Amino acid sequence: MRCEGETGASLLVSHLPSGESVPESTNRSKQQQEPVVLWRMQRPGMRSHSVISPRPDGAIVVWYVNGRAVGFKDFGDWTSALRWSDQLRAQNWSTGWRLD
C-alpha cells in the first residue's frame, strides 16, 4: 500500500503479517533510550541539528552541521541539557541560522 507523506512524496506502507498485532502499550524504558532531535536549522548551503540522548544519570546533547557531529556536551539532568540546547539554538539564530 502506498500513501502520500507531508512532502507529497509517495511512501511505502506495509501491512502487518496475518495474526500479528501492534501492542497496546509501548515499552516506556525502550522509548526513553532513543535519541530525540531537538531542533533543525539552516542557512544558505548548510544545515544543523541537535539531538538529545538519555543516560541513566542524565543526558548527552550532540550537535551536527551538514550531517557531521561537531560537538557534544554531557549533562547530569534533562532540564540542564534542554536549557543548554535552547541557548545553542538562540546563538545560532543570532549568527544567521533559521529554523528548518
Side-chain angles (χ1 to χ4, degrees), residues 24-42:
E24 288 185 28
S25 64
T26 58
N27 183 340
R28 197 158 175 79
S29 64
K30 256 190 176 178
Q31 279 183 328
Q32 293 173 347
Q33 300 303 320
E34 296 297 319
V36 175
V37 175
L38 296 172
W39 47 259
R40 296 179 193 275
M41 299 184 91
Q42 65 180 340

Side-chain angles (χ1 to χ4, degrees), residues 6 23 25 31 35 41 43 51 53 63 68 73 77 94:
E6 289 180 27
S25 64
Q31 279 183 328
M41 299 184 91
R43 61 191 291 175
V51 174
S53 296
W63 60 100
R68 297 186 78 168
K73 192 161 173 72
D77 61 85
S94 71

Side-chain angles (χ1 to χ4, degrees), residues 55-60 73-81:
R55 294 182 308 119
D57 59 343
I60 296 174
K73 192 161 173 72
D74 200 4
F75 297 89
D77 61 85
W78 272 71
T79 302
S80 299

Side-chain angles (χ1 to χ4, degrees), residues 5-94:
E6 289 180 27
T7 62
S10 181
L11 304 172
L12 181 61
V13 178
S14 62
H15 294 282
L16 288 171
S18 181
E20 296 287 324
S21 65
V22 176
E24 288 185 28
S25 64
T26 58
N27 183 340
R28 197 158 175 79
S29 64
K30 256 190 176 178
Q31 279 183 328
Q32 293 173 347
Q33 300 303 320
E34 296 297 319
V36 175
V37 175
L38 296 172
W39 47 259
R40 296 179 193 275
M41 299 184 91
Q42 65 180 340
R43 61 191 291 175
M46 300 179 80
R47 292 187 171 279
S48 179
H49 69 280
S50 172
V51 174
I52 188 169
S53 296
R55 294 182 308 119
D57 59 343
I60 296 174
V61 175
V62 182
W63 60 100
Y64 298 80
V65 174
N66 291 340
R68 297 186 78 168
V70 292
F72 74 94
K73 192 161 173 72
D74 200 4
F75 297 89
D77 61 85
W78 272 71
T79 302
S80 299
L82 293 172
R83 186 177 301 122
W84 184 86
S85 180
D86 287 347
Q87 290 171 346
L88 179 60
R89 184 185 64 207
Q91 178 183 334
N92 285 352
W93 182 273
S94 71

